[in-house]
Amino acid sequence: MQRKSFGNMQCPIARSLERVGEWWSILILRDAFYGLTRFDQFQKSLDIAPNILARRLNALVESGLLERRQYSEKPPRDEYVLTQRGRDFRPVLWALLAWGNKHFAPEGPSVVVVNSDSGAVAEPVLVDRSTGQPLAEPQFRVAPGPAAGERIRQRFTTTPAAGENAR
Amino acid sequence: MQRKSFGNMQCPIARSLERVGEWWSILILRDAFYGLTRFDQFQKSLDIAPNILARRLNALVESGLLERRQYSEKPPRDEYVLTQRGRDFRPVLWALLAWGNKHFAPEGPSVVVVNSDSGAVAEPVLVDRSTGQPLAEPQFRVAPGPAAGERIRQRFTTTPAAGENAR
DNA sequence: CAGTATCCTGTCCGATACTG
DNA sequence: CAGTATCGGACAGGATACTG
């Protein structure tokens, strides 16, 4: 990890982890989605050391997930807002939320996704956009894409359970 | 993180991160979904030090994501297979995959989700199971659930953009 | 208020050697 | 093959003090 390339960097999952692999990064994004934008809002919310917060915030800006925006000039003040790339991260967050609720909340969920109008609790499911089918196995699986290099292609031809899941 | 509680541990996202917060954990799960089960398969695939692999594998077993299963007795041999809890993690992985493909694959995707039968490339979208509506803002938002404690409840009443997203 | 500058610690991780 | 045992390095993260 860190800068050492990390397995096969062609893998989109590994690439994603390059940007949000640290704990705080994801929690900061969670709070950004919640509407927090200012340094000290994050700090209070997360109870994180200021230097660490600054470091993670900078990393997120460099990765293009957050954008620094000056909201005051007299005393120069910056706020951090989600970019499109950052906003696109929400499904990951909500998938994580759904998984956590299902498996690590014996007392019931403390945070849920709801319909803003009706207030009805939503149950997040991953589906294929065009067909609407739930993305479950064995109906769906991962496969090499058009830009797959040799290394990735091999994984799908030489390994024991190519396409099948471990049972 | 580590054992220091980590912000608000009632948050399902934080709880999830407790189990899969480390880089290798997620990559190991990715490979487990791919069908790998044996120690040295993971090691070769990930190019990870054996002691680290053992550590992460044990953590995953302790968290109930993987299950150790003896597949040979003469020489005792264990393999690691996904539990139900582990299999439920797939949406997170695929959301991560979709996000990586969209934002960090200028040359096009190297790995995609496909329909096993037709081979058609699927586009993962998070929707509400009962209504089928895409889980996007501002139609949907997070809200305190039935088991929300005081601290969580406060976040949704006292902060600037309760329910709204940063624009 | 929004950070920066230091110093320190924990531990994640890498490399290597060894074993049933 | 499936790990365990050690040693060391890098860095995330914590605590604290300071500044425009």
Side-chain angles (χ1 to χ4, degrees):
Chain A
M1 35 344 305
Q2 279 81 265
R3 328 278 73 129
K4 281 215 52 190
S5 126
F6 215 1
N8 187 338
M9 282 329 286
Q10 265 205 73
C11 170
I13 294 177
R15 285 184 181 176
S16 295
L17 291 178
E18 283 253 297
R19 277 77 180 197
V20 296
E22 289 97 25
W23 297 54
W24 286 128
S25 303
I26 293 186
L27 259 3
I28 288 171
L29 288 172
R30 176 200 65 182
D31 280 357
F33 273 111
Y34 174 59
L36 305 194
T37 59
R38 309 242 284 270
F39 193 91
D40 92 303
Q41 291 179 326
F42 287 114
Q43 206 193 337
K44 273 200 267 297
S45 166
L46 298 167
D47 191 29
I48 181 179
N51 54 343
I52 298 305
L53 176 57
R55 193 191 293 175
R56 298 265 61 89
L57 243 18
N58 285 331
L60 253 11
V61 168
E62 271 167 46
S63 294
L65 289 159
L66 291 179
E67 193 172 39
R68 219 184 297 272
R69 198 154 62 185
Q70 201 171 38
Y71 70 94
S72 158
E73 265 197 77
K74 296 291 292 312
R77 296 274 180 274
D78 280 336
E79 59 180 357
Y80 300 84
V81 298
L82 288 164
T83 60
Q84 183 58 45
R85 178 178 289 179
R87 283 192 294 273
D88 284 343
F89 190 70
R90 190 180 39 221
V92 178
L93 241 19
W94 285 4
L96 230 21
L97 185 152
W99 186 67
N101 274 342
K102 177 163 184 185
H103 289 283
F104 308 112
E107 355 67 45
S110 54
V111 180
V112 294
V113 178
V114 301
N115 184 305
S116 309
D117 300 325
S118 68
V121 175
E123 190 184 349
V125 192
L126 208 61
V127 303
D128 174 21
R129 181 192 295 281
S130 55
T131 66
Q133 283 181 86
L135 257 30
E137 279 182 293
Q139 188 63 47
F140 289 89
R141 56 181 179 83
V142 288
E150 200 36 55
R151 172 130 184 230
I152 287 209
R153 210 166 289 282
Q154 276 186 356
R155 301 175 58 94
F156 290 90
T157 53
T158 62
T159 45
E164 264 173 68
N165 195 4
R167 265 255 8 80
Chain B
M1 37 344 308
Q2 279 78 264
R3 329 276 77 129
K4 279 214 52 188
S5 131
F6 215 2
N8 188 337
M9 282 329 285
Q10 265 206 70
C11 170
I13 295 178
R15 285 185 181 175
S16 295
L17 291 178
E18 284 254 296
R19 277 75 180 196
V20 295
E22 289 97 27
W23 299 53
W24 285 129
S25 302
I26 294 187
L27 260 3
I28 288 171
L29 289 172
R30 176 199 66 183
D31 281 356
F33 274 110
Y34 174 59
L36 305 194
T37 58
R38 309 241 285 267
F39 192 91
D40 93 302
Q41 292 179 324
F42 287 114
Q43 207 193 337
K44 274 200 267 294
S45 166
L46 297 167
D47 192 29
I48 183 179
N51 53 343
I52 299 304
L53 177 57
R55 191 190 297 176
R56 299 265 61 91
L57 243 20
N58 286 332
L60 254 12
V61 168
E62 272 168 44
S63 294
L65 289 158
L66 292 180
E67 194 172 37
R68 221 183 296 272
R69 197 152 62 187
Q70 200 171 40
Y71 69 94
S72 160
E73 264 197 80
K74 296 291 293 308
R77 295 274 180 272
D78 280 337
E79 61 181 354
Y80 299 84
V81 299
L82 288 163
T83 60
Q84 183 58 45
R85 176 179 290 181
R87 281 193 296 273
D88 284 343
F89 190 70
R90 191 181 40 219
V92 177
L93 241 20
W94 285 4
L96 230 23
L97 185 153
W99 185 68
N101 275 343
K102 177 163 183 186
H103 289 283
F104 309 112
E107 355 68 47
S110 54
V111 180
V112 293
V113 177
V114 301
N115 184 304
S116 309
D117 301 324
S118 68
V121 175
E123 189 185 348
V125 193
L126 207 61
V127 304
D128 173 23
R129 182 192 295 279
S130 56
T131 67
Q133 285 182 86
L135 257 29
E137 280 184 293
Q139 189 64 47
F140 288 89
R141 58 183 177 80
V142 287
E150 199 38 53
R151 172 133 184 228
I152 287 209
R153 209 166 290 281
Q154 275 187 355
R155 302 175 58 95
F156 290 90
T157 53
T158 64
T159 45
E164 266 172 67
N165 195 3
R167 270 254 8 76

